[in-house]
Amino acid sequence: RKKTYEGAMNFRPHPAWILAAAGGGVDAVFFLSFEVLTAAQTGNTILLAVALLQGQLAVGLIGALSLLAFIFGAIVAGWTAGHFKKNVSLLLGAEALALILLAGIWHFLASPLTPTATNTLIVSAAACMGWQSSVMLTMRSRSTTYMTGILTTFAHALVVRSSATATHLPAPTESPWPYGTTWLIYFSGAILTGWIYLKLGPLALLLPIACLL
């Protein structure tokens, strides 16, 4: 029988570390292509701030578009899950379909890309990453895009579980290792997908897509 969470949200278990590979892979591809992050919005916020401080308004615009698209994707996914009680696997499938369309269109676009095409690709990818993050929150699972929090939780749990003197810290509810593994897979997904991108171009997005299915 499928597990059900509050709000009648049912899903087949989808390991967070697999989706972390997707998040890392998409970020690597878009940073290599356009020097913008579509999943790790903490880093993207800093890149946006630095661009504005340096007067690089065009670069700042790309960062702002990514940030706003991420928020939009998260809102739409949360609204869809809350109002239509969709199966989470279908939500992840919808993200995979969107990324397939993005990769296919990008593959056949003439090079060099126009600013409009570039911005459209970035907005689409960032919205997908926001969608994924919202779905994982619905699943009450570990984040697959917010690695700062993952590393903090890993370090906290490691200290508490390994030190008898850390009684002043709240006890972790999980072992630290799933969090450390999630970060490692995110990192590995970024390296592997980035390497494939350097060889095959946008078709490298097929690896993150496979992680969603």
Side-chain angles (χ1 to χ4, degrees):
R1 183 166 178 157
K2 289 183 180 180
K3 226 171 171 183
T4 303
Y5 282 116
E6 188 178 342
M9 177 62 69
N10 64 333
F11 65 96
R12 65 177 172 80
H14 208 119
W17 60 267
I18 296 179
L19 298 180
V26 172
D27 251 355
V29 166
F30 275 82
F31 193 81
L32 286 170
S33 301
F34 310 115
E35 296 186 348
V36 66
L37 298 167
T38 56
Q41 292 299 333
T42 304
N44 198 52
T45 299
I46 299 302
L47 294 175
L48 170 59
V50 170
L52 294 177
L53 286 171
Q54 294 178 336
Q56 299 177 349
L57 298 183
V59 176
L61 174 62
I62 292 175
L65 287 174
S66 175
L67 184 62
L68 293 174
F70 183 95
I71 295 171
F72 175 77
I75 290 173
V76 173
W79 183 82
T80 301
H83 288 268
F84 293 97
K85 306 297 187 289
K86 294 290 187 180
N87 184 288
V88 172
S89 295
L90 293 180
L91 291 174
L92 295 175
E95 181 192 352
L97 177 60
L99 287 174
I100 289 171
L101 292 174
L102 185 155
I105 292 171
W106 188 1
H107 178 70
F108 289 107
L109 283 175
S111 185
L113 297 175
T114 65
T116 299
T118 296
N119 292 339
T120 301
L121 292 173
I122 291 169
V123 165
S124 300
C128 286
M129 293 298 97
W131 178 284
Q132 177 178 312
S133 296
S134 185
V135 169
M136 294 306 290
L137 185 61
T138 300
M139 291 171 63
R140 300 172 187 256
S141 182
R142 291 183 297 278
S143 174
T144 58
T145 57
Y146 176 52
M147 290 300 112
T148 303
I150 289 292
L151 288 174
T152 302
T153 305
F154 168 73
H156 169 81
L158 194 63
V159 169
V160 172
R161 286 178 176 264
S162 63
S163 174
T165 62
T167 55
H168 61 290
L169 296 175
T173 57
E174 292 186 76
S175 164
W177 304 115
Y179 292 92
T181 301
T182 299
W183 174 84
L184 183 61
I185 297 299
Y186 180 92
F187 177 70
S188 301
I191 289 180
L192 181 57
T193 310
W195 180 80
I196 295 174
Y197 172 76
L198 295 175
K199 303 293 182 180
L200 300 178
L203 292 179
L205 289 174
L206 293 176
L207 180 58
I209 290 166
C211 294
L212 296 167
L213 300 175

